Amino acid sequence: MGEGASAPRWRGAASRGGGRPRSGSPGAAVGSRWGAVKDPTAVERANLLNMAKLSIKGLIESALSFGRTLDSDYPPLQQFFVVMEHCLKHGLKVRKSFLSYNKTIWGPLELVEKLYPEAEEIAASVRDLPGLKTPLGRARAWLRLALMQKKMADYLRCLIIQRDLLSEFYEYHALMMEEEGAVIVGLLVGLNVIDANLCVKGEDLDSQVGVIDFSMYLKNEDDIGSKERNVQIAAILDQKNYVEELNRQLNSTVSSLHARVDSLEKSNTKLIEELAIAKNNIIKLQEENHQLRSENTLILMKTQHHLEVTKVDVEAELQTYRHSRQGLDEMYNEARRQLREESQLRQDIENELMVQVSMKHEIELAMKLLEKDIHEKQDTLIGLRQQLDEVKAINIEMYQKLQVSDDAMKEKNEIVSRLEDKTNQITATMKQLEQSDKDLLTQTRTIAMSFVKCASNEAQHQYKLVKDISF
């Protein structure tokens, strides 16, 4: 499952490849029924889920029995972190880097701070730790800090909800992508009853080897007597977890209601402002209508006055009255035409007001969408800048290492050349010494032989002495 550790696999006899049972054997029906159905990845997920249940249950029971404040040396707590590391590594995709291919759980855990704003503090604390050099060490420190904050279940719940983001780090059959991941997150809620005091700064988290100790979960006959007490403790923990979950849900409901009330107050304020604007427009239209009515009344009064004048002079000026009556009819028609035009103008103004109100709503919606797009682009730009800084740091480090290796290679080459020169000098000296030794030996033998020829008549002991000198 990545970085020197793999998820434990426990499979049945039918899935270990021991051969398909023959049709005549008693286990043929069982083998044919179960051997072809079991999916290895499903078995791995089930095994990891069972190990997580045992680890969480054992940790809670032991913490309640021996005291709730735990430290880094507590064995059940260490095994819990090992099991969680195996669960997070299951189905992890291979990520390509500049130097090699690797798997790390720090990638999905680092994503939590973008989904859960309260996780920004824990991620910044992990990055600031001086002793951590590998992504796996940062991930282990993150799990320990999340447990101390009692927020591990909340952080991982936000992570498993985002399946589209998790698919960049995990395969489709991974534990975090399936229902087993949600079950484990639900079990992590029970860890809120535990108080942990872990020293992350001085602990070597980069080189730890995560191996599950199964002896802690294998029960013997002595554990059967404490089963009833464990059931009672589990019932108490379930009740406490239920109350905490209910309280959390009520708090979230209250916060959502407060947010809804705030939004309703804002919308009510906007509606009151729009209503005031509409009332002002109505008052203006009423004033214009009153003015038109007064003008119409004035026209009618003038018309009546003209009619009275014509009635007084009807007998004397009948023909003139007829001509004046025609003019009055034209004036009346003109007044009616003006009244219709003013009514149409009022209707056009009301329609334009409705159009302006709708345009205002559309502009506000467009501004909200634009602000959301700007925030998303800013988050993307920040992530790209961080990646660029990491790449620059890696390039600088590689360049420094290359310069150091080049300098060391030059020094070694100079030393080798010096040693070769000294070796050649020593070889030449040895050859000269050998040649001088050979010449000395030849001269000695020649002198000895001459001495033997000259003194052949002397005593025998002198001859032996010369023979010894020759050798």
Side-chain angles (χ1 to χ4, degrees), residues 85-327:
E85 185 178 337
H86 281 283
C87 293
L88 291 173
K89 286 181 180 179
H90 183 263
L92 197 65
K93 289 183 178 179
V94 177
R95 299 191 63 82
K96 185 177 181 182
S97 64
F98 290 97
L99 301 177
S100 62
Y101 294 87
N102 59 357
K103 294 181 180 179
T104 176
I105 59 176
W106 174 238
L109 294 181
E110 193 177 12
L111 186 65
V112 176
E113 62 177 324
K114 297 180 181 178
L115 304 176
Y116 203 92
E118 296 182 5
E120 294 179 356
E121 182 179 357
I122 185 174
S125 299
V126 170
R127 295 190 187 96
D128 294 337
L129 289 175
L132 299 179
K133 299 180 180 179
T134 61
L136 181 59
R138 297 189 186 95
R140 290 169 175 170
W142 189 93
L143 291 175
R144 283 157 174 78
L145 293 177
L147 180 64
M148 286 192 290
Q149 287 185 351
K150 298 183 180 181
K151 291 284 187 179
M152 185 181 293
D154 298 333
Y155 293 158
L156 295 181
R157 183 183 294 110
C158 293
L159 188 61
I160 63 174
I161 292 174
Q162 303 294 332
R163 296 288 181 87
D164 52 346
L165 297 178
L166 277 181
S167 61
E168 298 180 2
F169 301 96
Y170 289 99
E171 302 289 347
Y172 69 94
H173 57 78
L175 183 139
M176 296 297 291
M177 300 290 290
E178 298 292 339
E179 296 179 357
E180 289 83 355
V183 175
I184 292 176
V185 171
L187 294 174
L188 292 175
V189 177
L191 296 178
N192 293 336
V193 301
I194 297 175
D195 294 328
N197 186 11
L198 307 178
C199 183
V200 182
K201 187 174 182 180
E203 190 174 358
D204 186 12
L205 300 177
D206 293 328
S207 60
Q208 288 184 0
V209 179
V211 179
I212 299 176
D213 186 7
F214 293 99
S215 62
M216 298 180 61
Y217 309 109
L218 298 177
K219 295 184 178 181
N220 50 21
E221 295 180 357
D222 296 335
D223 297 331
I224 299 174
S226 61
K227 183 176 181 181
E228 186 174 349
R229 181 176 61 84
N230 294 334
V231 171
Q232 294 177 357
I233 294 174
I236 294 172
L237 291 176
D238 291 338
Q239 292 177 1
K240 185 179 184 301
N241 294 334
Y242 173 74
V243 172
E244 289 181 352
E245 185 66 24
L246 183 61
N247 189 16
R248 189 181 291 106
Q249 291 179 359
L250 290 175
N251 290 330
S252 62
T253 305
V254 170
S255 62
S256 63
L257 289 175
H258 282 302
R260 188 174 180 182
V261 167
D262 294 336
S263 63
L264 289 175
E265 288 179 354
K266 291 180 181 178
S267 61
N268 189 16
T269 304
K270 292 180 180 179
L271 290 175
I272 290 172
E273 293 177 355
E274 293 177 357
L275 180 61
I277 295 171
K279 285 183 178 179
N280 294 330
N281 293 330
I282 290 172
I283 291 171
K284 290 180 181 179
L285 292 174
Q286 287 178 354
E287 290 177 355
E288 292 178 357
N289 191 10
H290 185 267
Q291 185 178 0
L292 291 174
R293 286 182 179 180
S294 61
E295 291 178 357
N296 192 11
T297 303
L298 182 61
I299 292 171
L300 290 174
M301 290 175 65
K302 289 181 179 180
T303 305
Q304 289 177 1
H305 179 70
H306 285 294
L307 287 173
E308 289 177 356
V309 172
T310 53
K311 283 181 180 179
V312 172
D313 298 337
V314 65
E315 294 179 355
E317 299 178 353
L318 181 60
Q319 190 66 27
T320 306
Y321 169 72
R322 289 177 179 177
H323 291 291
S324 63
R325 184 178 179 181
Q326 184 177 1

Side-chain angles (χ1 to χ4, degrees), residues 371-387:
E371 289 178 356
K372 183 178 179 182
D373 190 13
I374 290 172
H375 289 306
E376 291 178 355
K377 289 182 178 179
Q378 288 178 352
D379 294 337
T380 305
L381 184 59
I382 291 171
L384 291 174
R385 287 178 178 175
Q386 292 177 355
Q387 292 179 3

Side-chain angles (χ1 to χ4, degrees), residues 402-432:
L402 182 60
Q403 286 183 345
V404 172
S405 62
D406 289 338
D407 295 336
M409 185 62 70
K410 290 179 180 179
E411 292 178 358
K412 291 181 180 179
N413 289 330
E414 291 177 357
I415 292 170
V416 169
S417 61
R418 293 175 183 174
L419 291 175
E420 287 179 354
D421 294 337
K422 289 183 179 181
T423 304
N424 294 329
Q425 293 176 1
I426 292 169
T427 304
T429 305
M430 289 178 67
K431 288 181 179 180
Q432 291 177 359

